[in-house]
Amino acid sequence: MDSTRLLRNSHPFTFTLAPPITKTRHYSLSLPSRKLFFMLKTSRNDVGPFDDAAYEAERRSLDAKARQTMAEEASSVTEDPKAWKWVIRKRIWDMMEARNIAQNPRPVHHRIPNFVGASAAADKLGGLEAFRVGNCVKVNPDSPQKQVRFLTLSDGKKLLTPQPRLRTGFFSVLESEMLTPSTMKEACTSVGVAKHGRPIGLDEKIKVDLIVIGSVAVDPRTGARLGKGEGFAELEYGMLRYMGAIDDSTPVVTTVHDSQLVDDIPIEKLLVHDVPVDIICTPTQVIFTNTSIPKPQGIYWDKLSPEKLGQIKILRELKRRIEQETGQKLPCGPSEKLPPTARRGANLVGGKRI
């Protein structure tokens, strides 16, 4: 067994010889007043009606600031050993804009591209056996996977989706019985998730049958994938592993344009927390990668910067509880510059901060 696989199969929270935390153990997180999450169905009345326009305006503003910071960071990483990822991302983003195979929001740079044919790729995904038999599907919140979220709900499945950049806390669950025909499409948007979803915590007992993630580029030969560079797909995957909601057998699927298929992602340069994909759905084909890249086993704390830890309250609580349980201090990763979105500490509901 090679050293990479040994590392990935080691303790998912720390690389010391500390006593392991078993997969079946769940830490009960006390989240006072659930202020991590949007105050949805049970408590939204306490803060007034949900203000769709205020939420969306703030989300767009902060998203723009985040992309600007990502652009500045990308232009200054030429000496960084991870710069090869940005070279591939930029090539794909430039190509999609030049060939006009991107839909709004544009430009696609520093986004999971909303590609032409996204609905057709979603329909390919909807025909997968793994999707048909699954009861709970975790789908990323990006625009090109909107149709996947709609298919999940319209098929009567449970939809698990994170708030964008985890900035309001963690995951929300949506089910078709929570919605009306007129609100189902809205529930597939960021605003709809915040408005109609039920927030869950790390102590939720849930089994996820299929994971759908967005990609900027993906290698069909190996299943190696690149996202937009913020690392939230990896954090979400790691937290689901911690919860016991997924394991190595849980299929990971991505939907992309055929032009986002690449052959130059060096798997030897992938990091221990990078998530490979098992299946790729494009508007024209379904590809089973048969990936041999090991999947992450949890949160790799030595890769998590103090700044990112500071932005996500649920991760800080998880870290504190693990350290309390084990009696050992978890490692911390190197510092990084975070977008303004990531540093936000409050959110708007009904025009009020929560």
Side-chain angles (χ1 to χ4, degrees), residues 173-189:
V173 171
L174 296 102
E175 300 180 67
S176 55
E177 56 263 32
M178 300 164 59
L179 307 165
T180 66
S182 62
T183 60
M184 186 170 291
K185 284 191 175 181
E186 180 188 39
C188 301
T189 67

Side-chain angles (χ1 to χ4, degrees), residues 137-198:
V137 183
K138 183 265 182 185
V139 188
N140 59 297
D142 300 286
S143 297
Q145 283 72 46
K146 181 179 178 181
Q147 179 67 8
V148 178
R149 297 191 292 274
F150 178 75
L151 291 176
T152 300
L153 288 173
S154 61
D155 199 42
K157 303 180 190 301
K158 185 180 295 184
L159 172 65
L160 182 68
T161 188
Q163 287 293 325
R165 295 186 176 88
L166 298 176
R167 66 174 180 255
T168 61
F170 194 39
F171 292 99
S172 291
V173 171
L174 296 102
E175 300 180 67
S176 55
E177 56 263 32
M178 300 164 59
L179 307 165
T180 66
S182 62
T183 60
M184 186 170 291
K185 284 191 175 181
E186 180 188 39
C188 301
T189 67
S190 294
V191 170
V193 169
K195 187 175 180 179
H196 301 289
R198 175 178 67 83

Side-chain angles (χ1 to χ4, degrees), residues 231-269:
F232 285 100
E234 288 75 19
L235 284 175
E236 293 157 12
Y237 187 93
M239 285 188 280
L240 289 174
R241 286 297 295 243
Y242 168 78
M243 293 168 66
I246 60 173
D247 57 29
D248 280 341
S249 67
T250 307
V252 179
V253 188
T254 192
T255 61
V256 294
H257 193 273
D258 291 86
S259 65
Q260 292 175 259
L261 302 177
V262 302
D263 61 3
D264 58 344
I265 300 179
I267 60 174
E268 70 276 7
K269 291 186 178 181

Side-chain angles (χ1 to χ4, degrees), residues 38-50 349-350 352:
F38 266 93
M39 303 297 132
L40 299 176
K41 294 190 178 295
T42 59
S43 56
R44 203 166 61 230
N45 292 335
D46 296 336
V47 294
F50 186 92
V349 173
K352 300 180 181 180

Side-chain angles (χ1 to χ4, degrees), residues 117-139:
S119 291
D123 290 339
K124 286 279 197 299
L125 187 151
L128 295 174
E129 178 70 12
F131 180 83
R132 291 200 303 267
V133 303
N135 293 314
C136 179
V137 183
K138 183 265 182 185
V139 188

Side-chain angles (χ1 to χ4, degrees), residues 29 31 34 36-37 166 169-171 200-202 239 301 309 311-319:
L29 299 185
L31 305 178
R34 296 287 179 179
L36 284 176
F37 307 109
L166 298 176
F170 194 39
F171 292 99
I200 67 169
L202 284 167
M239 285 188 280
W301 299 98
L309 185 64
Q311 81 174 50
I312 304 176
K313 186 175 181 181
I314 201 164
L315 278 179
R316 298 198 304 274
E317 176 68 10
L318 174 59
K319 182 174 186 288

